[in-house]
Every structure is written in structure tokens, then in C-alpha cells.
Amino acid sequence: MVKLLDSMHGDHPARACVVLSNNPAAAGLDKAEAKGVPTEIVRHQPFHGDRTAFEHAVMGAISDHKPDLICLAGFMRKLTEGFVGEWHGRMLNIHPSLLPKYKGLDTHRRVLEAGDAEHGCTVHEVTARLDDGPILGQSRVPILPDDTEDGLAARVLEQEHILYPMVLRRFAAGDHTPVFLP
């Protein structure tokens, strides 16, 4: 999220209007505020699993900010078809795998257990199916013989910080052509 905020200056076609989290302790909230970006918090726990009600509260929290595009970054909540449909073609996410492989959680462990030669990250449009939208960009990371989950995760995160801002800039300018980094 911070890398996205840092990228949106000068001739960038997008500007951050709000950062929302469902976790009031998320470090990104303080970082956004320090950069002058408004923040909103909508905790999911009070909704007791009612995702539709939670999403309605999220929409209420961001509606005054009038976003044109939503960029998910570490928002670990599955969104309903209704919410995703409202933002069809205007919501991006980054996932730590080379989609369509390893959708969901624990991607670093899963790729190591599978003995894959490479790992990476994918920026995609969000659809109602988990980690399944059109791919807008991917960056590959070789798996080294002594890789651990933590080491691999750190190397993938470095690529996420490069790829996501690059894809956001292109997407906000109307270019939906996928970008593939080596």
C-alpha cells in the first residue's frame, strides 16, 4: 500500500483518496495519515460473518471519498459477488503467486512443497472468484536451493513493490495490457 501511495505523484494518472482497513492496528493507516491520505476503519468482527453487511459498511466508509478504483493490498477478506460486481473492472489485487497457480493462502509453503523452480506475484482484476480475475501483470522469482518460506516471501515482496505500482499506473491510464517481468 505504501509503495502505491509513493508512486501516485507527478504525472501519475491516479491519486489516493482514502486508505481503508478492517484492522485498526494496521501499520499502513499511520503511514497513510503521515502522507496526508485520509483513513477509514471498518472492523469485520461486529458483523459476525455477515459479509454483505460488512461490505455495505465499507461502501459507506469510502463513498464520501468518491474512489474511481479500488486497490486491495493485504485486505484478507473474501468479497461477495455483489460488492465485486459494483466495482467490476475497477478493482485490483496483488497475490503472492504466479496465478493461476496457488490461489488462496500459504503460497510460499505450497510452492516450496511442490518443488517448483520459480515463484512470483500477480496483479489481477478482482472478480467474484478468489484470485481468478484477468491477469494484469506478473513478476517471477527463481526458487533457490536454500530458500525458506520467509526468505522466498521477502524476495516476492520486493517484486510486488515494483510490479503493483507499475500496473496501477498503466491501468489508471487505460492500458490493461498485461506486464510480465522476468
Side-chain angles (χ1 to χ4, degrees):
M1 183 273 306
V2 172
K3 294 296 183 185
L4 293 177
L5 294 180
D6 287 345
S7 75
M8 289 185 266
H9 57 81
D11 66 349
H12 197 291
R15 293 291 183 266
C17 64
V18 65
V19 169
L20 179 135
S21 179
N22 63 319
N23 177 3
L29 293 169
D30 289 337
K31 292 175 182 177
E33 288 177 353
K35 293 177 180 300
V37 178
T39 61
E40 298 284 349
I41 300 167
V42 179
R43 295 174 56 93
H44 64 273
Q45 295 89 342
F47 296 95
H48 305 288
D50 184 345
R51 290 188 302 158
T52 302
F54 168 68
E55 291 168 358
H56 183 74
V58 167
M59 286 304 300
I62 66 173
S63 65
D64 287 344
H65 302 280
K66 298 178 178 50
D68 296 318
L69 177 66
I70 293 177
C71 294
L72 301 176
F75 191 75
M76 302 297 288
R77 309 298 308 165
K78 189 170 182 207
L79 299 167
T80 66
E81 190 171 334
F83 185 88
V84 172
E86 288 284 323
W87 290 94
H88 177 75
R90 299 181 298 138
M91 187 169 13
L92 307 181
N93 188 30
I94 188 151
H95 183 70
S97 80
L98 296 172
L99 292 175
K101 291 180 95 174
Y102 308 111
K103 297 175 182 182
L105 302 174
D106 303 316
T107 62
H108 311 301
R109 176 185 53 78
R110 291 163 56 202
V111 76
L112 289 171
E113 287 175 353
D116 289 358
E118 63 182 3
H119 190 31
C121 55
T122 303
V123 177
H124 64 94
E125 286 187 50
V126 176
T127 65
R129 295 175 53 122
L130 182 66
D131 300 325
D132 198 54
I135 292 172
L136 299 169
Q138 288 188 323
S139 184
R140 297 177 182 283
V141 173
I143 297 182
L144 306 175
D146 60 344
D147 261 334
T148 63
E149 285 182 53
D150 289 341
L152 185 56
R155 290 197 350 270
V156 169
L157 183 61
E158 288 175 12
Q159 293 305 302
E160 289 181 18
H161 290 168
I162 295 166
L163 181 67
Y164 207 176
M166 179 186 297
V167 170
L168 171 59
R169 174 183 282 272
R170 291 167 55 91
F171 191 86
D175 185 351
H176 299 191
T177 307
V179 174
F180 296 97
L181 303 179

